Amino acid sequence: MELVLEVDDQDAVTKAALRRIADDTTMPADERTHAEAAVTEDTAEALAYLVDPFDLVSEVPGVDLAQASWSSEHVEYDPDSPEWDLDEDDGDEDFDGEDAGRAG
């Protein structure tokens, strides 16, 4: 699964993350200070505080979340560009990264 998001209001995302951190009564003060700095400096960090991968799939029958990771990059989105064809596969790679369609 791959999820692509467009953040059109970075300030709103940051403020929402700061509210979530402030509402977390179990977070130690030093961790809170670190979290507030992280979400203020990086919108991807703010988003990570707001979106829980487990919550996204926990109600899907037959799916168990084995691992989740975050990565982000700033890109210019052009929906008319062939590079943004969401129906296109990323290639013929199997799970270990080797080409599935080639004989070795």
Side-chain angles (χ1 to χ4, degrees):
M1 169 191 269
E2 184 172 321
L3 178 66
V4 177
L5 300 174
E6 178 181 359
V7 176
D8 60 2
D9 189 344
Q10 293 180 7
D11 190 46
V13 173
T14 300
K15 286 179 181 179
L18 289 170
R19 279 192 303 274
R20 168 131 338 142
I21 293 166
D23 291 344
D24 186 349
T25 59
T26 64
M27 187 181 293
D30 59 332
E31 186 178 331
R32 181 180 315 276
T33 300
H34 174 74
E36 289 170 343
V39 303
T40 302
E41 294 172 15
D42 186 358
T43 305
E45 287 289 331
L47 192 58
Y49 269 90
L50 297 170
V51 178
D52 181 355
F54 178 77
D55 287 344
L56 293 175
V57 298
S58 64
E59 300 293 323
V60 179
V63 174
D64 289 320
L65 182 63
Q67 178 180 352
S69 62
W70 284 97
S71 67
S72 68
E73 62 182 291
H74 294 276
V75 296
E76 293 298 321
Y77 175 66
D78 178 3
D80 298 325
S81 170
E83 293 178 21
W84 287 97
D85 185 2
L86 297 179
D87 293 330
E88 182 179 300
D89 289 337
D90 286 337
D92 279 340
E93 291 185 359
D94 59 16
F95 290 110
D96 64 3
E98 294 186 20
D99 288 340
R102 292 189 187 163

